Amino acid sequence: MTRSGRVLLVGAGPGDPDLITLRGARALARADVVLFDELATGDLLDLAPARALRINVGKRGHEAPTRSQQDIQALIVEHALAGRTVVRLKGGDPFVFGRGGEEVTACVEAGIPFEIVPGVSSAIAAPAYAGIPVTDRRHSASFAVVTGHKDPTRAAQQTRWRALGQAVDTLVILMGMRNLAEITGELVAGGRSPDTPAAAVMHGTLPEQRTCVSTLGRLAEEARAAGLSAPTVVVVGEVVGLREGLSWWETQPMFGRRVLVTRGREQVEELAFALRARGAIPVVVPMIELVPIDSPEGREAIAAALSRLSGYRTLVFTSSNAVRFFARALSAGADARGPAARSRSLGSETKTFCIGEATARAALEEGLPVHVTATGRGDSEALLAQLLRALPDGGGRVLIPRSDIARTVIADGLREAGAEVDSIAFYENRRPEIDPAALRDRLLRGELDALTFTSPSTVDHFLDCLDDASRAAAGQCIIAAIGRTTARR
């Protein structure tokens, strides 16, 4: 008998991928199959294993889906009965107008174990990102969340808008843009003042967020004139008046700016997170791909260095990538499986030198000791000077794990000072497959406000993608580079 898998209904949150819960992220990391709504972002899908099957079921609020609800439930059951772990990734919270109850019922009927992972609902998050608290003891002691996709003019489907408008202090309407004029008309007809503050928040929690503040009587007209469309959350109540003093997201210093991120995919999340936190839109186009050395000669050199690791007096890391690939190679050895074992593999007299705080943090995370951290100017010449001051007399034997295209300034300088240096390539810097034409088009259309580069190779690969016109367009962007060497490039 085939053992069934399990199903996890995971709330993806309101849009910003950083707002998914820790439990939701862990569920995605264990998924064999991910069935996702149209509103789920690629950043969230990247949390699933590369081997996981990803299926777009096309649901975007209450617009016509590419698959019926019955088809979606059949897919959930089919994959779970085949023994797979199925994550049903749903926008917002699975049980807030998400038809999660129907999908769980299908699991119950099929005898499939399931778990519910709640998500941050846009009903709360979108107003919060617009600076509008749904409750505030000065203005609101109650709120209601209601779907606005039903036609208010059809009696058989009618939500009791007239009564609802008077029943609570704050009314939050999801999926209501299509019928907004009819809904606001019903609320006014029920006795809610047309002068009641009201707002519509489009793309809430995202850098594309737009907010229209008006009154109940004029909101539909002004939101339409402003070009707002789904997905939009509507808020009606005195709390909307607090936005003027509480607006915070749309005032972030980089709000709405599109920033090109060129670093490799394995490191992109840290920078993308920092950009999103400041309101920017990361545009990820990796210009490098880092992979372990694969040639027989390269593997032999690495093995030889690791075999005499305890004999090195100094271990020099010039980047966090060097740390990670060194630790990976060390963990692959028979005698060094975990962080504690990595530290024991070093000699008792070995001193570890890290260039920069980020490199030092990476070393500590991998269980490696850090004795000296060089700071200040980021070029090799300045860092060599700091290293020479910190090294023991004569330097002794030094290991420098590096990439296959790393500069030799530090190794050459240490040799001149009398050190015996093994500068070993632990990883390769390759050029990934990208679409240069699409990148050139973005630049020519002015869709990128800033460009970021984290190494000389990201600059070189970027420039190789350009023609004269797109190179000129790139010159109009703000350009940020890590380190003097990258900046000079």
Side-chain angles (χ1 to χ4, degrees), residues 12-15 36-42 44 56 58-61 90-92 203 206 230-231:
F36 62 96
D37 288 343
E38 190 71 23
L39 291 174
T41 68
L44 292 183
N56 184 347
K59 292 180 72 66
R60 185 181 179 90
K90 304 174 72 66
H203 294 308
L206 295 176

Side-chain angles (χ1 to χ4, degrees), residues 220-261:
E221 177 185 350
E222 294 187 4
R224 187 186 314 110
L228 269 61
S229 60
T232 293
V233 175
V234 173
V235 187
V236 178
E238 296 299 326
V239 290
V240 173
L242 297 172
R243 168 177 160 79
E244 184 175 352
L246 301 185
S247 178
W248 64 277
W249 178 233
E250 292 163 57
T251 60
Q252 290 295 309
M254 298 181 68
F255 183 79
R257 301 286 187 178
R258 296 182 181 271
V259 180
L260 182 70
V261 178

Side-chain angles (χ1 to χ4, degrees), residues 271-342:
L271 179 55
F273 175 85
L275 289 170
R276 285 195 298 265
R278 287 158 180 80
I281 305 170
V283 179
V284 179
V285 183
M287 290 293 163
I288 58 173
E289 180 181 15
L290 306 181
V291 297
I293 290 292
D294 193 40
S295 67
E297 299 83 3
R299 292 199 302 270
E300 184 178 342
I302 291 172
L306 295 181
S307 69
R308 53 177 179 265
L309 192 58
S310 61
Y312 289 106
R313 293 185 68 185
T314 305
L315 179 60
V316 179
F317 293 117
T318 58
S319 71
S320 55
N321 289 320
V323 171
R324 281 187 280 270
F325 281 95
F326 172 82
R328 185 182 304 180
L330 193 57
S331 294
D335 299 325
R337 293 294 179 186
R342 292 172 198 160

Side-chain angles (χ1 to χ4, degrees), residues 25 43 72 80 82 91 106 120 122 126 135 172 179 182 231 294 311 328 370 423 444 462 464 474:
D43 297 282
I72 294 170
V120 178
S122 61
T135 64
V172 180
N179 300 315
E182 292 81 7
D294 193 40
R328 185 182 304 180
V370 175
S423 180
L444 292 173
F462 172 79
D464 288 344

Side-chain angles (χ1 to χ4, degrees), residues 85 206 231 234 254 352 400 414 422:
T85 296
L206 295 176
V234 173
M254 298 181 68
T352 303
I400 306 179
L414 292 177
D422 289 339

